[in-house]
RNA sequence: GCGGCUGUAGCUCAGCAGGUUAGAGUGCCAGGUUGUGGCCCUGGAGGCCGUGGGUUCAAGUCCCAUCAGCCGCCCCA
């Protein structure tokens, strides 16, 4: 877990609220362009929801959930994953309106009780989308295209898109049987982890990074050649769409995601900028999930992208982001107690006019106030000295250039500042 | 869940084989300019040395535990 601060920390500069806001702003805009609308769900859900949807044998459910019992003896779990809560809300609120699609996006914190490490946090944020109700491979393509657009606009060009199909309940059992038959003969060559997977979750044997496992599974049956006709066609069409959209990808026979609900399309974005935690986002199709959660048979596709990992990649790339300008326009300086009342009233007036303004509350010297105004990056120092006040005027000095200080009647101050805003749209 | 490393001022780090008042850079505050920023100079404040136990005449320094972080595995975002 980590704090995100208004000033970038010297080591992890990505823990900087303006960068988070910039990322979120881009994500929201890309979602708007693609017709996705925001949904917010609670941080906690009934434990059941995750256990049933994600799958009891997965790492997420078997060892990584933040689970506790509430006062009503119900077992609750902090949001362990993004899709299940969206599906739950979709069903509970009747967002399914017969025959049409529902396209949703979220920006949400996710909780996993695992060993912390750089790029892997017990609390992290994901931006994600879910397209519900569309079975066409064109929807898969749109979901992937949205992710690509988002990463591109962020400035993360250096990512690889890995793609695979994990089949469906019709064709997967045939493949599993073939895989088990193949692996059984080579169990002795494989790691302990993979022997465990052989029993519990055989598909996951494929993406082991252990070199021995790699060698042992050399020549193992490939999932994609066992796809049924429908899954095969779906994958072929998806690839054609991606080609049309100019989205490059690499096929990865061994890409199998860690959540049980995926069917057909599975994909991941990986960055060479990160270390062991190199996946910045991933997703896929989950055609059986909604029905399994008690809804009508409804297909779905989506992805989740890790905010921390994106920002870390941007840091490594030393990419510049369009950050909001947080500098005040005006800093009102009052030389003494006698003028500080006027200063307080003055900043209020400026703010009412939409001009960001600050003043000193510590009774410090003019010099100190000027320093602070400069440090904050204020455009104007507005000096309310007794000499000026006697003439109903204020001295104004532009701190962002070396223009000379000038005196303006207080009655004209707001319009003067508005007329001289930087970046003013003419 | 497994293995390894780290934890000293707000921040980045020094601190030699345990030995007097724990340092630097930067940031912060003030003065040099009796009402004026940026640069420069001078001074100042700021540290239960992660936490709890232990060894020792003496512990930031050694040992144990614990928490947090980092690296690898596992897994994922």
């Amino acid at each position: 877990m980590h704090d995100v601060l208004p000033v970038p920390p010297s080591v992890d500069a990505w823990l900087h609220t303006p960068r988070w806001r910039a990322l979120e702003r881009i994500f929201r805009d890309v979602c708007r362009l693609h017709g996705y609308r925001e949904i917010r769900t609670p941080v906690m859900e009934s434990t059941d929801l995750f256990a049933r949807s994600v799958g009891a044998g997965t790492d997420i459910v078997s060892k990584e959930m933040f689970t506790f019992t509430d006062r009503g003896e119900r077992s609750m779990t902090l949001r362990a994953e993004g899709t299940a809560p969206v599906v739950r809300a979709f069903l509970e609120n009747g967002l399914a309106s017969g025959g049409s699609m529902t396209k949703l996006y979220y920006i949400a914190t996710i909780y996993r009780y695992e060993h912390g490490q750089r790029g892997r946090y017990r609390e992290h944020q994901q931006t994600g989308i879910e397209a519900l109700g569309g079975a066409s491979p064109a929807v898969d393509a749109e979901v992937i295209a949205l992710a690509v657009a988002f990463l591109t606009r962020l400035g993360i060009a250096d990512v690889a898109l890995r793609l695979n199909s994990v089949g469906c309940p019709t064709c997967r059992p045939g493949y599993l049987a073939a895989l088990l038959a193949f692996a059984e003969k080579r169990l002795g060559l494989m790691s302990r982890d993979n022997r465990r997977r052989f029993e519990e979750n055989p598909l996951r044997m494929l993406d082991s990074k252990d070199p021995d496992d790699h060698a042992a599974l050399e020549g193992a049956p490939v999932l994609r050649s066992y796809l049924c006709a429908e899954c095969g066609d779906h994958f072929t069409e998806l690839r054609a769409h991606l080609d049309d959209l100019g989205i490059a990808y690499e096929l990865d026979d061994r890409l199998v995601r860690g959540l049980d609900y995926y069917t057909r399309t599975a994909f991941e974005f990986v960055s060479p900028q990160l270390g062991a935690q190199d996946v910045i986002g991933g997703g896929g199709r989950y055609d059986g999930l909604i029905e399994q959660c008690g809804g009508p048979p409804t297909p779905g596709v989506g992805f989740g992208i890790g905010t921390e990992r994106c920002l870390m990649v941007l840091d490594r790339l030393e990419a510049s982001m369009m950050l909001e300008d947080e500098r005040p326009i005006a800093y009102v300086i009052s030389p003494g107690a006698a003028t500080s009342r006027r200063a307080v009233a003055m900043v209020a007036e400026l703010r009412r006019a939409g001009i960001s303004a600050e003043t000193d509350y510590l009774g410090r010297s003019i010099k100190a106030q000027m320093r602070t105004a400069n440090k904050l990056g204020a455009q104007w120092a507005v000096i309310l000295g007794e000499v000026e006040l006697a003439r109903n005027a204020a001295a104004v000095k532009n701190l962002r250039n070396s223009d000379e200080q000038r005196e303006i009647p207080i009655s004209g101050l707001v319009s003067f500042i508005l007329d001289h805003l930087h970046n003013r749209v003419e």
Side-chain angles (χ1 to χ4, degrees), chain A residues 95-172:
Chain A
L95 297 183
S97 45
S100 68
M101 282 186 62
T102 304
K103 306 204 294 184
L104 302 167
Y105 79 83
Y106 60 84
I107 297 176
T109 47
I110 305 284
Y111 300 84
R112 303 229 177 112
Y113 197 88
E114 53 191 340
H115 234 77
Q117 191 178 139
R118 171 152 282 255
R120 192 174 69 185
Y121 303 98
R122 288 182 167 185
E123 176 186 88
H124 73 274
Q125 179 177 291
Q126 291 185 24
T127 55
I129 69 170
E130 311 295 346
L132 306 174
S136 162
V139 182
D140 306 48
E142 179 181 270
V143 166
I144 292 173
L146 191 156
V148 169
F150 172 51
L151 296 174
T152 303
R153 278 202 31 199
L154 273 180
I156 303 179
D158 193 16
V159 281
L161 167 59
R162 293 189 187 147
L163 187 67
N164 196 18
S165 174
V166 296
C168 69
T170 305
C171 50
R172 206 180 305 156

Side-chain angles (χ1 to χ4, degrees), chain A residues 27-204:
Chain A
F27 182 67
R28 289 177 195 286
D29 194 52
V30 170
C31 286
R32 181 187 60 78
L33 286 171
H34 291 74
Y36 287 73
R37 293 188 294 170
E38 185 178 11
I39 184 165
R40 301 192 189 197
T41 64
V43 269
M44 68 183 81
E45 299 273 357
S46 159
T47 299
D48 236 45
L49 175 68
F50 298 110
R52 283 206 328 263
S53 60
V54 177
T58 62
D59 280 20
I60 292 181
V61 171
S62 62
K63 60 181 192 190
E64 294 176 357
M65 293 200 299
F66 263 99
T67 298
F68 61 95
T69 305
D70 74 6
R71 296 188 181 202
E73 301 294 306
R74 289 168 291 240
S75 178
M76 305 300 290
T77 294
L78 261 30
R79 180 169 41 221
E81 185 265 335
T83 302
V86 171
V87 165
R88 194 223 80 237
F90 167 81
L91 291 172
E92 274 181 21
N93 297 285
L95 297 183
S97 45
S100 68
M101 282 186 62
T102 304
K103 306 204 294 184
L104 302 167
Y105 79 83
Y106 60 84
I107 297 176
T109 47
I110 305 284
Y111 300 84
R112 303 229 177 112
Y113 197 88
E114 53 191 340
H115 234 77
Q117 191 178 139
R118 171 152 282 255
R120 192 174 69 185
Y121 303 98
R122 288 182 167 185
E123 176 186 88
H124 73 274
Q125 179 177 291
Q126 291 185 24
T127 55
I129 69 170
E130 311 295 346
L132 306 174
S136 162
V139 182
D140 306 48
E142 179 181 270
V143 166
I144 292 173
L146 191 156
V148 169
F150 172 51
L151 296 174
T152 303
R153 278 202 31 199
L154 273 180
I156 303 179
D158 193 16
V159 281
L161 167 59
R162 293 189 187 147
L163 187 67
N164 196 18
S165 174
V166 296
C168 69
T170 305
C171 50
R172 206 180 305 156
Y175 172 71
L176 280 178
L179 177 64
L180 287 171
F182 179 89
E184 194 169 17
K185 291 176 291 189
R186 300 176 177 233
L187 271 182
L189 303 172
M190 293 197 287
S191 67
R192 213 178 52 198
D193 276 330
N194 252 16
R195 289 202 293 273
R196 175 179 53 79
R197 293 189 185 111
F198 179 85
E199 303 291 340
E200 296 172 4
N201 200 342
L203 267 190
R204 299 213 59 87

Side-chain angles (χ1 to χ4, degrees), chain A residues 151 155-160 270-273 280 313 317:
Chain A
L151 296 174
I156 303 179
D158 193 16
V159 281
V270 300
S271 167
Q273 300 296 324
I280 66 177
V313 170
L317 295 174

Side-chain angles (χ1 to χ4, degrees), chain A residues 353-394:
Chain A
I355 297 163
S356 55
E358 291 243 51
T359 190
D360 173 78
Y361 295 121
L362 303 176
R364 302 200 296 172
S365 69
I366 293 223
K367 182 189 179 117
Q369 293 184 49
M370 285 294 286
R371 258 204 293 263
T372 299
N374 184 61
K375 195 180 63 198
L376 293 175
Q379 180 179 180
W380 297 101
V382 176
I383 301 152
L384 289 187
E386 301 197 44
V387 181
E388 290 83 2
L389 278 181
R391 287 184 234 128
N392 270 317

Side-chain angles (χ1 to χ4, degrees), chain A residues 387-409:
Chain A
V387 181
E388 290 83 2
L389 278 181
R391 287 184 234 128
N392 270 317
V396 298
K397 185 172 186 179
N398 191 328
L399 299 180
R400 295 186 194 166
N401 61 28
S402 43
D403 288 356
E404 279 194 30
Q405 183 168 314
R406 52 198 285 192
E407 197 169 301
I408 321 224

